[in-house]
Amino acid sequence: MRALPHGPRTPRSLLGALLLALATVAAVLAAAPAAHADTLVCEQYGSTTIQGRYVVQNNRWGTSAPQCVTATDSGFRVTQADGAVPTNGAPKSYPSVFNGCHYTNCSPGTNLPAQVSGIASAPSSISYGFVGSAVYNASYDIWLDPTPKKNGVNRTEIMIWLNKVGPIQPIGSQAGTASVGGRTWQVWRGSNGSNDVISFVAPSAVASWSFDVMDFVRNTIARGMAQNNWYLTSVQAGFEPWQNGAGLAVNSFSSTVNLGTPGTGSPGAPGEPVTACEVAYATNVWSDGFTADVTVANTGSTPVDSWRLSFTLPSGQRVTNAWNATVSGPTGAVTATGLAHSARVAAGASQTFGFQGTYSGTFSKPSGFSLNGARCA
């Protein structure tokens, strides 16, 4: 039997189809991440916040030539960097992103300044975009002071040069080499007249890296340039340009400071698993994405309230959404926090959460889980 032809749609059927289409569009929009408008900052010391937890600053102080940065949802890029200064002197500026406090400008929700003796770990992660038409370094700037200082110059400045382009060198003179964070560095020491400076210079460009800031802090203390009762006030990452610089970018940045007791074997001691908590991390991986189911077990005899699980995602991985916990910091150092109904992990019990993400390159699992500053097995 030949099928009958379709008849014309009635107004009611057209209305139903329209409503169904609108519902589908609404569902897609609700599932999509909210768009983030990039923010242009051109004021000399202008700044803005990203991810609700970091500050991006223009920080032009060595030249009157215009400079602008554009803050993105995960970092920033230098969109204008005119002029040049002599390469045997100070750079033009330090466009950067930071966690902590810098000249009274404190990043949202930061727990810095924090006393060094009370920091178990400070994982950080960076991904840079370089250019070949400029003279610059790509560097971290880590500040230490005997007091919990939020304004002005700190006593000691730690710089980590991850890339150096052009005839420039750190302050002072080379004092040897060191192995820190699993890498070998040239070590330079000196003073800029306002504060002491120690610089760790990579022998070749490092475009992305995840590491513990405290490895460099402890090396600096061992050299007599700081003390355990001093304070870490900020962790910054960006560029020092001498000539040009447009196009330089921090594609992503993360910084977390885990409070705890380092170096004593008690919860929070770096490098030593703590039997009071255990983490199980199960994944389902496909070509460019993955899901992770994470179980946090309290193996101690007392409950853990307002739990926070900190860990560092391998380079190239990004969290896109999560369930049963709030996961802050989409890349690098991230922290999962229990929701109102799951904020306590009773003694002998566990809490489970999960998240979905994307990755590039070879997939691997994170390590170094810490529960409220205590390292977990």
Side-chain angles (χ1 to χ4, degrees):
M1 178 182 294
R2 194 171 71 178
L4 294 175
H6 290 290
R9 289 180 178 266
T10 64
R12 178 173 294 179
S13 64
L14 287 173
L15 177 60
L18 178 61
L19 290 175
L20 179 60
L22 289 173
T24 301
V25 171
V28 170
L29 291 175
H36 180 278
D38 291 349
T39 302
L40 181 66
V41 180
C42 294
E43 295 81 4
Q44 181 176 6
Y45 299 113
S47 66
T48 188
T49 59
I50 62 171
Q51 298 182 36
R53 60 186 299 193
Y54 306 122
V55 173
V56 169
Q57 58 179 356
N58 195 28
N59 201 16
R60 173 178 60 82
W61 47 268
T63 180
S64 59
Q67 175 178 287
C68 297
V69 299
T70 297
T72 65
D73 62 346
S74 58
F76 71 90
R77 61 183 178 275
V78 180
T79 48
Q80 183 178 7
D82 297 346
V85 296
T87 55
N88 61 351
K92 299 187 296 180
S93 59
Y94 185 57
S96 49
V97 55
F98 69 83
N99 170 25
C101 296
H102 181 74
Y103 282 83
T104 72
N105 189 3
C106 294
S107 58
T110 186
N111 54 4
L112 296 177
Q115 197 163 40
V116 170
S117 60
I119 299 175
S121 63
S124 186
S125 179
I126 189 79
S127 173
Y128 280 115
F130 299 141
V131 298
S133 56
V135 174
Y136 66 93
N137 68 45
S139 58
Y140 269 76
D141 217 0
I142 300 159
W143 291 93
L144 301 170
D145 196 79
T147 65
K149 199 169 188 177
K150 296 183 180 181
N151 64 310
V153 177
N154 285 194
R155 178 77 63 83
T156 294
E157 176 184 11
I158 302 172
M159 296 206 73
I160 308 172
W161 287 32
L162 295 174
N163 192 15
K164 179 177 81 73
V165 178
I168 55 175
Q169 68 179 42
I171 290 171
S173 58
Q174 186 171 349
T177 61
S179 178
V180 185
R183 293 180 178 272
T184 300
W185 311 85
Q186 297 176 1
V187 181
W188 293 65
R189 292 180 61 161
S191 172
N192 60 16
S194 299
N195 56 268
D196 295 327
V197 183
I198 181 169
S199 301
F200 297 85
V201 182
S204 59
V206 180
S208 61
W209 195 35
S210 297
F211 67 104
D212 189 346
V213 166
M214 296 307 296
D215 290 341
F216 291 89
V217 172
R218 295 185 184 104
N219 189 281
T220 300
I221 291 172
R223 295 173 184 271
M225 297 184 67
Q227 299 178 27
N228 275 315
N229 60 355
W230 285 23
Y231 291 81
L232 173 66
T233 64
S234 68
V235 176
Q236 310 181 19
F239 304 92
E240 288 185 327
W242 275 258
Q243 298 176 8
N244 304 320
L248 292 169
V250 169
N251 298 319
S252 64
F253 168 79
S254 65
S255 169
T256 301
V257 176
N258 297 317
L259 303 182
T261 307
T264 63
S266 58
E272 297 182 13
V274 173
T275 57
C277 55
E278 293 181 354
V279 173
Y281 191 90
T283 59
N284 179 31
V285 182
W286 56 95
S287 59
D288 58 357
F290 69 99
T291 59
D293 291 307
V294 187
T295 300
V296 185
N298 177 6
T299 58
S301 58
T302 58
V304 176
D305 290 309
S306 301
W307 65 267
R308 304 179 314 280
L309 185 72
S310 300
F311 54 96
T312 300
L313 288 174
S315 178
Q317 295 186 17
R318 169 180 287 268
V319 176
T320 56
N321 61 76
W323 51 92
N324 294 339
T326 299
V327 179
S328 59
T331 62
V334 301
T335 300
T337 305
L339 303 178
H341 68 276
S342 61
R344 165 174 283 209
V345 187
S350 63
Q351 293 285 358
T352 299
F353 70 94
F355 60 89
Q356 183 172 349
T358 60
Y359 75 96
S360 58
T362 302
F363 181 83
S364 59
K365 296 181 180 181
S367 59
F369 294 94
S370 296
L371 181 63
N372 291 16
R375 294 231 174 195
C376 296

